PDB file of all heavy atoms in Angstrom:
ATOM      1  N   PRO A1478     -55.419  77.855-126.102  1.00  0.00           N
ATOM      2  CA  PRO A1478     -54.230  76.984-126.130  1.00  0.00           C
ATOM      3  C   PRO A1478     -53.272  77.350-127.214  1.00  0.00           C
ATOM      4  O   PRO A1478     -53.704  77.483-128.384  1.00  0.00           O
ATOM      5  CB  PRO A1478     -54.849  75.566-126.271  1.00  0.00           C
ATOM      6  CG  PRO A1478     -56.245  75.654-125.810  1.00  0.00           C
ATOM      7  CD  PRO A1478     -56.677  77.054-126.153  1.00  0.00           C
ATOM      8  N   GLY A1479     -52.021  77.474-126.903  1.00  0.00           N
ATOM      9  CA  GLY A1479     -51.030  77.719-127.892  1.00  0.00           C
ATOM     10  C   GLY A1479     -50.607  79.153-128.075  1.00  0.00           C
ATOM     11  O   GLY A1479     -49.619  79.436-128.701  1.00  0.00           O
ATOM     12  N   THR A1480     -51.401  80.053-127.488  1.00  0.00           N
ATOM     13  CA  THR A1480     -51.060  81.473-127.613  1.00  0.00           C
ATOM     14  C   THR A1480     -50.679  82.115-126.329  1.00  0.00           C
ATOM     15  O   THR A1480     -50.003  83.132-126.341  1.00  0.00           O
ATOM     16  CB  THR A1480     -52.257  82.255-128.197  1.00  0.00           C
ATOM     17  OG1 THR A1480     -53.312  82.177-127.352  1.00  0.00           O
ATOM     18  CG2 THR A1480     -52.594  81.717-129.585  1.00  0.00           C
ATOM     19  N   GLY A1481     -51.082  81.516-125.173  1.00  0.00           N
ATOM     20  CA  GLY A1481     -50.823  82.114-123.877  1.00  0.00           C
ATOM     21  C   GLY A1481     -49.600  81.562-123.280  1.00  0.00           C
ATOM     22  O   GLY A1481     -48.832  80.856-123.897  1.00  0.00           O
ATOM     23  N   GLY A1482     -49.386  81.933-122.012  1.00  0.00           N
ATOM     24  CA  GLY A1482     -48.290  81.358-121.280  1.00  0.00           C
ATOM     25  C   GLY A1482     -47.001  82.132-121.452  1.00  0.00           C
ATOM     26  O   GLY A1482     -45.985  81.820-120.783  1.00  0.00           O
ATOM     27  N   GLY A1483     -46.964  83.139-122.302  1.00  0.00           N
ATOM     28  CA  GLY A1483     -45.728  84.000-122.477  1.00  0.00           C
ATOM     29  C   GLY A1483     -44.698  83.268-123.263  1.00  0.00           C
ATOM     30  O   GLY A1483     -44.391  82.105-122.992  1.00  0.00           O
ATOM     31  N   GLY A1484     -44.138  83.964-124.196  1.00  0.00           N
ATOM     32  CA  GLY A1484     -42.976  83.390-124.921  1.00  0.00           C
ATOM     33  C   GLY A1484     -43.315  82.273-125.859  1.00  0.00           C
ATOM     34  O   GLY A1484     -42.494  81.446-126.153  1.00  0.00           O
ATOM     35  N   GLY A1485     -44.553  82.188-126.330  1.00  0.00           N
ATOM     36  CA  GLY A1485     -44.821  81.259-127.360  1.00  0.00           C
ATOM     37  C   GLY A1485     -45.762  80.084-126.970  1.00  0.00           C
ATOM     38  O   GLY A1485     -46.073  79.257-127.758  1.00  0.00           O
ATOM     39  N   GLY A1486     -46.153  80.002-125.665  1.00  0.00           N
ATOM     40  CA  GLY A1486     -47.121  79.017-125.302  1.00  0.00           C
ATOM     41  C   GLY A1486     -46.622  77.575-125.545  1.00  0.00           C
ATOM     42  O   GLY A1486     -45.672  77.151-124.921  1.00  0.00           O
ATOM     43  N   LEU A1487     -47.309  76.878-126.430  1.00  0.00           N
ATOM     44  CA  LEU A1487     -47.038  75.463-126.715  1.00  0.00           C
ATOM     45  C   LEU A1487     -45.636  75.284-127.278  1.00  0.00           C
ATOM     46  O   LEU A1487     -45.127  74.144-127.214  1.00  0.00           O
ATOM     47  CB  LEU A1487     -48.105  74.912-127.639  1.00  0.00           C
ATOM     48  CG  LEU A1487     -49.478  74.922-127.136  1.00  0.00           C
ATOM     49  CD1 LEU A1487     -50.420  74.350-128.181  1.00  0.00           C
ATOM     50  CD2 LEU A1487     -49.610  74.119-125.851  1.00  0.00           C
ATOM     51  N   LEU A1488     -44.991  76.279-127.879  1.00  0.00           N
ATOM     52  CA  LEU A1488     -43.650  76.109-128.402  1.00  0.00           C
ATOM     53  C   LEU A1488     -42.634  76.883-127.555  1.00  0.00           C
ATOM     54  O   LEU A1488     -41.509  77.138-128.018  1.00  0.00           O
ATOM     55  CB  LEU A1488     -43.625  76.604-129.862  1.00  0.00           C
ATOM     56  CG  LEU A1488     -44.557  75.915-130.810  1.00  0.00           C
ATOM     57  CD1 LEU A1488     -44.346  76.400-132.272  1.00  0.00           C
ATOM     58  CD2 LEU A1488     -44.389  74.441-130.773  1.00  0.00           C
ATOM     59  N   SER A1489     -42.978  77.235-126.322  1.00  0.00           N
ATOM     60  CA  SER A1489     -42.029  77.954-125.493  1.00  0.00           C
ATOM     61  C   SER A1489     -40.858  77.038-125.072  1.00  0.00           C
ATOM     62  O   SER A1489     -40.908  75.792-125.260  1.00  0.00           O
ATOM     63  CB  SER A1489     -42.756  78.441-124.213  1.00  0.00           C
ATOM     64  OG  SER A1489     -43.155  77.323-123.385  1.00  0.00           O
ATOM     65  N   SER A1490     -39.828  77.568-124.529  1.00  0.00           N
ATOM     66  CA  SER A1490     -38.705  76.816-124.093  1.00  0.00           C
ATOM     67  C   SER A1490     -39.093  75.814-122.961  1.00  0.00           C
ATOM     68  O   SER A1490     -38.613  74.683-122.946  1.00  0.00           O
ATOM     69  CB  SER A1490     -37.563  77.708-123.580  1.00  0.00           C
ATOM     70  OG  SER A1490     -38.044  78.507-122.518  1.00  0.00           O
ATOM     71  N   GLY A1491     -40.032  76.231-122.102  1.00  0.00           N
ATOM     72  CA  GLY A1491     -40.493  75.315-121.093  1.00  0.00           C
ATOM     73  C   GLY A1491     -41.257  74.111-121.611  1.00  0.00           C
ATOM     74  O   GLY A1491     -41.056  72.976-121.242  1.00  0.00           O
ATOM     75  N   SER A1492     -42.106  74.385-122.643  1.00  0.00           N
ATOM     76  CA  SER A1492     -42.844  73.298-123.300  1.00  0.00           C
ATOM     77  C   SER A1492     -41.864  72.383-124.059  1.00  0.00           C
ATOM     78  O   SER A1492     -42.048  71.172-124.041  1.00  0.00           O
ATOM     79  CB  SER A1492     -43.836  73.911-124.266  1.00  0.00           C
ATOM     80  OG  SER A1492     -44.523  72.888-125.007  1.00  0.00           O
ATOM     81  N   GLU A1493     -40.892  72.946-124.687  1.00  0.00           N
ATOM     82  CA  GLU A1493     -39.872  72.155-125.377  1.00  0.00           C
ATOM     83  C   GLU A1493     -39.126  71.189-124.412  1.00  0.00           C
ATOM     84  O   GLU A1493     -38.967  70.024-124.736  1.00  0.00           O
ATOM     85  CB  GLU A1493     -38.870  73.039-126.107  1.00  0.00           C
ATOM     86  CG  GLU A1493     -37.797  72.233-126.853  1.00  0.00           C
ATOM     87  CD  GLU A1493     -36.787  73.089-127.565  1.00  0.00           C
ATOM     88  OE1 GLU A1493     -37.051  74.337-127.724  1.00  0.00           O
ATOM     89  OE2 GLU A1493     -35.771  72.588-127.977  1.00  0.00           O
ATOM     90  N   ARG A1494     -38.753  71.737-123.304  1.00  0.00           N
ATOM     91  CA  ARG A1494     -38.064  70.836-122.294  1.00  0.00           C
ATOM     92  C   ARG A1494     -38.939  69.722-121.858  1.00  0.00           C
ATOM     93  O   ARG A1494     -38.490  68.549-121.760  1.00  0.00           O
ATOM     94  CB  ARG A1494     -37.586  71.712-121.130  1.00  0.00           C
ATOM     95  CG  ARG A1494     -36.416  72.608-121.423  1.00  0.00           C
ATOM     96  CD  ARG A1494     -35.822  73.174-120.118  1.00  0.00           C
ATOM     97  NE  ARG A1494     -36.774  73.992-119.382  1.00  0.00           N
ATOM     98  CZ  ARG A1494     -36.933  75.315-119.566  1.00  0.00           C
ATOM     99  NH1 ARG A1494     -36.215  75.929-120.464  1.00  0.00           N
ATOM    100  NH2 ARG A1494     -37.824  75.971-118.880  1.00  0.00           N
ATOM    101  N   ARG A1495     -40.211  70.048-121.596  1.00  0.00           N
ATOM    102  CA  ARG A1495     -41.109  69.009-121.127  1.00  0.00           C
ATOM    103  C   ARG A1495     -41.361  67.932-122.200  1.00  0.00           C
ATOM    104  O   ARG A1495     -41.321  66.707-121.919  1.00  0.00           O
ATOM    105  CB  ARG A1495     -42.472  69.621-120.711  1.00  0.00           C
ATOM    106  CG  ARG A1495     -43.476  68.629-120.232  1.00  0.00           C
ATOM    107  CD  ARG A1495     -44.872  69.310-120.025  1.00  0.00           C
ATOM    108  NE  ARG A1495     -45.330  69.933-121.234  1.00  0.00           N
ATOM    109  CZ  ARG A1495     -45.966  69.296-122.227  1.00  0.00           C
ATOM    110  NH1 ARG A1495     -46.056  67.997-122.211  1.00  0.00           N
ATOM    111  NH2 ARG A1495     -46.384  69.960-123.278  1.00  0.00           N
ATOM    112  N   CYS A1496     -41.519  68.383-123.434  1.00  0.00           N
ATOM    113  CA  CYS A1496     -41.802  67.446-124.539  1.00  0.00           C
ATOM    114  C   CYS A1496     -40.559  66.574-124.814  1.00  0.00           C
ATOM    115  O   CYS A1496     -40.676  65.385-125.069  1.00  0.00           O
ATOM    116  CB  CYS A1496     -42.228  68.201-125.774  1.00  0.00           C
ATOM    117  SG  CYS A1496     -43.865  69.016-125.659  1.00  0.00           S
ATOM    118  N   ARG A1497     -39.393  67.191-124.809  1.00  0.00           N
ATOM    119  CA  ARG A1497     -38.169  66.446-125.051  1.00  0.00           C
ATOM    120  C   ARG A1497     -37.988  65.354-123.978  1.00  0.00           C
ATOM    121  O   ARG A1497     -37.614  64.235-124.287  1.00  0.00           O
ATOM    122  CB  ARG A1497     -36.958  67.342-125.062  1.00  0.00           C
ATOM    123  CG  ARG A1497     -36.782  68.215-126.338  1.00  0.00           C
ATOM    124  CD  ARG A1497     -35.517  69.084-126.230  1.00  0.00           C
ATOM    125  NE  ARG A1497     -35.272  69.832-127.447  1.00  0.00           N
ATOM    126  CZ  ARG A1497     -34.480  69.481-128.409  1.00  0.00           C
ATOM    127  NH1 ARG A1497     -33.901  68.245-128.388  1.00  0.00           N
ATOM    128  NH2 ARG A1497     -34.293  70.245-129.502  1.00  0.00           N
ATOM    129  N   ALA A1498     -38.244  65.716-122.725  1.00  0.00           N
ATOM    130  CA  ALA A1498     -38.106  64.759-121.677  1.00  0.00           C
ATOM    131  C   ALA A1498     -39.084  63.624-121.806  1.00  0.00           C
ATOM    132  O   ALA A1498     -38.748  62.403-121.650  1.00  0.00           O
ATOM    133  CB  ALA A1498     -38.307  65.394-120.301  1.00  0.00           C
ATOM    134  N   ARG A1499     -40.347  63.920-122.221  1.00  0.00           N
ATOM    135  CA  ARG A1499     -41.327  62.841-122.405  1.00  0.00           C
ATOM    136  C   ARG A1499     -41.006  62.002-123.597  1.00  0.00           C
ATOM    137  O   ARG A1499     -41.181  60.737-123.508  1.00  0.00           O
ATOM    138  CB  ARG A1499     -42.727  63.503-122.563  1.00  0.00           C
ATOM    139  CG  ARG A1499     -43.799  62.466-122.766  1.00  0.00           C
ATOM    140  CD  ARG A1499     -45.160  63.125-122.755  1.00  0.00           C
ATOM    141  NE  ARG A1499     -46.210  62.152-123.153  1.00  0.00           N
ATOM    142  CZ  ARG A1499     -47.518  62.389-123.361  1.00  0.00           C
ATOM    143  NH1 ARG A1499     -47.902  63.683-123.167  1.00  0.00           N
ATOM    144  NH2 ARG A1499     -48.322  61.494-123.732  1.00  0.00           N
ATOM    145  N   LEU A1500     -40.567  62.559-124.675  1.00  0.00           N
ATOM    146  CA  LEU A1500     -40.215  61.813-125.837  1.00  0.00           C
ATOM    147  C   LEU A1500     -38.963  60.907-125.567  1.00  0.00           C
ATOM    148  O   LEU A1500     -38.900  59.743-125.992  1.00  0.00           O
ATOM    149  CB  LEU A1500     -39.938  62.741-127.041  1.00  0.00           C
ATOM    150  CG  LEU A1500     -41.124  63.453-127.598  1.00  0.00           C
ATOM    151  CD1 LEU A1500     -40.743  64.510-128.547  1.00  0.00           C
ATOM    152  CD2 LEU A1500     -42.107  62.469-128.240  1.00  0.00           C
ATOM    153  N   ALA A1501     -38.012  61.449-124.800  1.00  0.00           N
ATOM    154  CA  ALA A1501     -36.831  60.617-124.441  1.00  0.00           C
ATOM    155  C   ALA A1501     -37.242  59.459-123.543  1.00  0.00           C
ATOM    156  O   ALA A1501     -36.725  58.352-123.696  1.00  0.00           O
ATOM    157  CB  ALA A1501     -35.811  61.514-123.737  1.00  0.00           C
ATOM    158  N   ALA A1502     -38.190  59.668-122.685  1.00  0.00           N
ATOM    159  CA  ALA A1502     -38.648  58.571-121.796  1.00  0.00           C
ATOM    160  C   ALA A1502     -39.359  57.563-122.656  1.00  0.00           C
ATOM    161  O   ALA A1502     -39.219  56.335-122.423  1.00  0.00           O
ATOM    162  CB  ALA A1502     -39.608  59.157-120.694  1.00  0.00           C
ATOM    163  N   GLY A1503     -40.134  57.948-123.623  1.00  0.00           N
ATOM    164  CA  GLY A1503     -40.798  57.027-124.521  1.00  0.00           C
ATOM    165  C   GLY A1503     -39.754  56.155-125.277  1.00  0.00           C
ATOM    166  O   GLY A1503     -39.918  54.999-125.502  1.00  0.00           O
ATOM    167  N   GLY A1504     -38.629  56.841-125.705  1.00  0.00           N
ATOM    168  CA  GLY A1504     -37.609  56.106-126.413  1.00  0.00           C
ATOM    169  C   GLY A1504     -36.935  55.034-125.525  1.00  0.00           C
ATOM    170  O   GLY A1504     -36.616  53.954-125.964  1.00  0.00           O
ATOM    171  N   ARG A1505     -36.795  55.412-124.236  1.00  0.00           N
ATOM    172  CA  ARG A1505     -36.156  54.393-123.335  1.00  0.00           C
ATOM    173  C   ARG A1505     -37.090  53.212-123.112  1.00  0.00           C
ATOM    174  O   ARG A1505     -36.627  52.130-122.808  1.00  0.00           O
ATOM    175  CB  ARG A1505     -35.826  55.050-122.005  1.00  0.00           C
ATOM    176  CG  ARG A1505     -34.682  56.068-122.079  1.00  0.00           C
ATOM    177  CD  ARG A1505     -34.162  56.424-120.715  1.00  0.00           C
ATOM    178  NE  ARG A1505     -35.163  57.240-119.992  1.00  0.00           N
ATOM    179  CZ  ARG A1505     -35.262  58.548-119.986  1.00  0.00           C
ATOM    180  NH1 ARG A1505     -34.380  59.242-120.753  1.00  0.00           N
ATOM    181  NH2 ARG A1505     -36.139  59.241-119.304  1.00  0.00           N
ATOM    182  N   ARG A1506     -38.397  53.450-123.279  1.00  0.00           N
ATOM    183  CA  ARG A1506     -39.329  52.309-123.136  1.00  0.00           C
ATOM    184  C   ARG A1506     -39.452  51.496-124.446  1.00  0.00           C
ATOM    185  O   ARG A1506     -40.238  50.595-124.544  1.00  0.00           O
ATOM    186  CB  ARG A1506     -40.702  52.861-122.730  1.00  0.00           C
ATOM    187  CG  ARG A1506     -40.759  53.449-121.349  1.00  0.00           C
ATOM    188  CD  ARG A1506     -42.160  53.584-120.902  1.00  0.00           C
ATOM    189  NE  ARG A1506     -42.935  54.456-121.823  1.00  0.00           N
ATOM    190  CZ  ARG A1506     -43.071  55.763-121.619  1.00  0.00           C
ATOM    191  NH1 ARG A1506     -42.450  56.344-120.640  1.00  0.00           N
ATOM    192  NH2 ARG A1506     -43.765  56.513-122.496  1.00  0.00           N
ATOM    193  N   GLY A1507     -38.688  51.964-125.442  1.00  0.00           N
ATOM    194  CA  GLY A1507     -38.739  51.205-126.706  1.00  0.00           C
ATOM    195  C   GLY A1507     -39.693  51.670-127.724  1.00  0.00           C
ATOM    196  O   GLY A1507     -39.879  51.062-128.765  1.00  0.00           O
ATOM    197  N   THR A1508     -40.336  52.832-127.519  1.00  0.00           N
ATOM    198  CA  THR A1508     -41.345  53.332-128.503  1.00  0.00           C
ATOM    199  C   THR A1508     -40.700  53.952-129.731  1.00  0.00           C
ATOM    200  O   THR A1508     -41.366  54.257-130.704  1.00  0.00           O
ATOM    201  CB  THR A1508     -42.263  54.321-127.831  1.00  0.00           C
ATOM    202  OG1 THR A1508     -41.476  55.425-127.299  1.00  0.00           O
ATOM    203  CG2 THR A1508     -43.047  53.689-126.716  1.00  0.00           C
ATOM    204  N   ALA A1509     -39.428  54.176-129.669  1.00  0.00           N
ATOM    205  CA  ALA A1509     -38.690  54.796-130.805  1.00  0.00           C
ATOM    206  C   ALA A1509     -37.827  53.777-131.520  1.00  0.00           C
ATOM    207  O   ALA A1509     -36.738  54.107-131.977  1.00  0.00           O
ATOM    208  CB  ALA A1509     -37.889  56.001-130.366  1.00  0.00           C
ATOM    209  N   ALA A1510     -38.272  52.586-131.623  1.00  0.00           N
ATOM    210  CA  ALA A1510     -37.518  51.539-132.272  1.00  0.00           C
ATOM    211  C   ALA A1510     -37.318  51.833-133.740  1.00  0.00           C
ATOM    212  O   ALA A1510     -38.071  52.623-134.317  1.00  0.00           O
ATOM    213  CB  ALA A1510     -38.245  50.167-132.047  1.00  0.00           C
ATOM    214  N   ALA A1511     -36.354  51.157-134.347  1.00  0.00           N
ATOM    215  CA  ALA A1511     -36.065  51.333-135.746  1.00  0.00           C
ATOM    216  C   ALA A1511     -37.337  51.018-136.547  1.00  0.00           C
ATOM    217  O   ALA A1511     -38.088  50.109-136.271  1.00  0.00           O
ATOM    218  CB  ALA A1511     -34.953  50.482-136.195  1.00  0.00           C
ATOM    219  N   ALA A1512     -37.572  51.874-137.596  1.00  0.00           N
ATOM    220  CA  ALA A1512     -38.760  51.716-138.404  1.00  0.00           C
ATOM    221  C   ALA A1512     -38.331  51.634-139.903  1.00  0.00           C
ATOM    222  O   ALA A1512     -37.227  52.109-140.287  1.00  0.00           O
ATOM    223  CB  ALA A1512     -39.741  52.801-138.160  1.00  0.00           C
ATOM    224  N   ALA A1513     -39.237  51.187-140.712  1.00  0.00           N
ATOM    225  CA  ALA A1513     -38.947  51.078-142.175  1.00  0.00           C
ATOM    226  C   ALA A1513     -39.105  52.452-142.865  1.00  0.00           C
ATOM    227  O   ALA A1513     -38.620  52.641-143.973  1.00  0.00           O
ATOM    228  CB  ALA A1513     -39.888  50.051-142.858  1.00  0.00           C
TER     229      ALA A1513
END
């Protein structure tokens, strides 16, 4: 994990798009509320 998949694996552009979408969905559910 993390080395395969071509172009950087876990940090590839495809992985970035998937992670950004998941994090944005979490924010819409209120998981990214203001913190101290």
Side-chain angles (χ1 to χ4, degrees):
T1480 61
L1487 298 178
L1488 301 186
S1489 67
S1490 58
S1492 177
E1493 178 179 348
R1494 286 193 298 271
R1495 179 186 59 79
C1496 292
R1497 282 180 179 268
R1499 180 172 170 187
L1500 292 168
R1505 287 193 294 270
R1506 292 194 300 270
T1508 57

